[in-house]
Amino acid sequence: MVAGTQPFDISAKTHDPRAGLRGDYAHMDADYTVAQDMSRYDAAMQDRWQRLLARQMRLLPGRACRAFIEAVTMLEMRRGIPSFAEVNAALAARTGWTLVGVPGLLPDAVFFAHLADRRFPVTVWLREEHEFDYIVEPDLFHDFFGHVPMLFTPVYADYLQRYGQGGLKAATLSGLDWLARLYWYTIEFGLLREDGGVRAYGAGILSSPKELVYAVESGVPVRLPFDVLEVMRTPYLIDDVQSQYFVLESFEQLLADTAPDFAPLYARLSAEARAAVKA
Ligand code: PHE
Ligand code: FE
């Protein structure tokens, strides 16, 4: 799940019966959550889930970070499309997070409020067969396989809550354009130094067969040391593999480096952007 800073017009979405659960914003609660109805996942969807999972699992060794591999193994997703209620029991015990079902992308403020309360929104519908290799919009596979395992790591879980709180604050400081880049280059496309190499912890990398290999092994992209200001200065692509990635030394570094007040950073970045327009 990513905040609604992406080019999808939520208000334009209507329920399409052919798409099943997809984008059904008509029957959600005030906080944009929907129940996960397990009976709506038919045999074709279960089969697609298994194939998405098998393809991605094979690519994890040597490419995904240790915390992700451990949690994925523990979650036993091979038993079928996971029930959020079942996972929530284990997740609450470990880090106090709760998964909530959502119809798709959320408005920024709604998304941030969920994260600030340690609720992670997971899209309830699975991509169609023609989207098997690539999907721009987050679906159940991206949200669950990519994001949920990392929620079992306490320091990462704390960071994500602080990100949500920081989002609510950034909205009052015209800081969302800058803060969105931090989400993008950490939660979605973050790399971590581990065992003398780089490993992925970002969900956008971990849920994509192409980008998992590319981000970790290709000589093409630039891999820079994680730096909050540099991250906030770096625009991103939403529909192709990234041309740069930022590499953490540890999740403790992520928490420590993002702890200072971002208000002065937002002011500085906004001033830089204004100066660039004038130049
Ligand atoms: N330190 C940030 C602020 O003052 C809050 C934040 C923490 C944002 C962690 C993102 C991640 O706004
Ligand atoms: Fe995501």
Side-chain angles (χ1 to χ4, degrees):
M1 175 56 55
V2 292
T5 41
Q6 300 216 345
F8 300 104
D9 182 359
I10 288 168
S11 61
K13 292 216 177 236
T14 51
H15 183 51
D16 179 350
R18 289 165 309 169
L21 301 161
R22 188 163 189 162
D24 185 2
Y25 290 85
H27 300 102
M28 63 190 187
D29 290 334
D31 64 355
Y32 281 70
T33 61
V34 294
Q36 185 194 26
D37 179 357
M38 297 302 292
S39 72
R40 296 287 294 271
Y41 302 126
D42 62 20
M45 289 181 203
Q46 292 287 357
D47 178 69
R48 192 175 310 131
W49 170 269
Q50 295 292 356
R51 286 179 288 120
L52 286 163
L53 184 68
R55 175 174 69 178
Q56 217 56 20
M57 289 297 290
R58 272 198 302 275
L59 296 173
L60 296 183
R63 300 192 182 94
C65 72
R66 231 176 288 125
F68 184 85
I69 292 182
E70 277 168 20
V72 155
T73 308
M74 183 264 303
L75 280 166
E76 288 190 280
M77 297 183 211
R78 268 169 304 189
R79 290 186 300 150
I81 294 176
S83 144
F84 303 164
E86 278 176 31
V87 173
N88 277 341
L91 187 56
R94 186 79 79 89
T95 58
W97 276 75
T98 306
L99 309 181
V100 291
V102 290
L105 288 165
L106 306 181
D108 289 326
V110 176
F111 181 61
F112 296 142
H114 280 303
L115 298 184
D117 285 337
R118 291 174 103 86
R119 280 190 304 271
F120 193 78
V122 179
T123 303
V124 292
W125 52 265
L126 189 63
R127 70 190 65 184
E128 302 285 316
E129 197 61 32
H130 67 90
E131 299 163 305
F132 193 78
D133 290 330
Y134 189 80
I135 179 168
V136 177
E137 194 179 2
D139 75 328
L140 174 67
F141 185 73
H142 165 79
D143 281 342
F144 196 95
F145 183 86
H147 285 284
V148 173
M150 291 308 302
L151 294 173
F152 284 82
T153 295
V155 58
Y156 176 99
D158 288 349
Y159 167 73
L160 194 53
Q161 177 180 30
R162 287 182 204 179
Y163 185 91
Q165 295 164 340
L168 295 171
K169 172 179 157 185
T172 69
L173 297 168
S174 306
L176 286 186
D177 290 349
W178 320 118
L179 191 70
R181 292 175 178 173
L182 181 62
Y183 191 89
W184 193 261
Y185 286 115
T186 60
I187 300 298
E188 294 293 348
F189 293 96
L191 294 177
L192 173 72
R193 194 161 301 285
E194 212 174 71
D195 299 333
V198 299
R199 301 285 186 271
Y201 73 90
I205 302 177
L206 288 161
S207 63
S208 158
K210 181 180 171 195
E211 192 143 10
L212 182 50
V213 175
Y214 174 87
V216 174
E217 285 163 18
S218 169
V220 176
V222 181
R223 296 179 191 83
L224 302 166
F226 178 76
D227 177 89
V228 172
L229 187 58
E230 276 317 303
V231 164
M232 290 189 182
R233 280 188 178 130
T234 309
Y236 55 78
L237 302 168
I238 70 143
D239 57 359
D240 198 359
V241 292
Q242 304 303 302
S243 44
Q244 55 265 301
Y245 298 92
F246 291 89
V247 185
L248 283 179
E249 295 301 321
S250 68
F251 293 122
E252 286 74 16
Q253 179 202 3
L254 180 59
L255 205 58
D257 288 4
T258 55
D261 180 11
F262 285 176
L265 282 189
Y266 299 148
R268 176 171 171 182
L269 288 157
S270 298
E272 284 178 10
R274 280 192 300 273
V277 170
K278 271 190 217 135

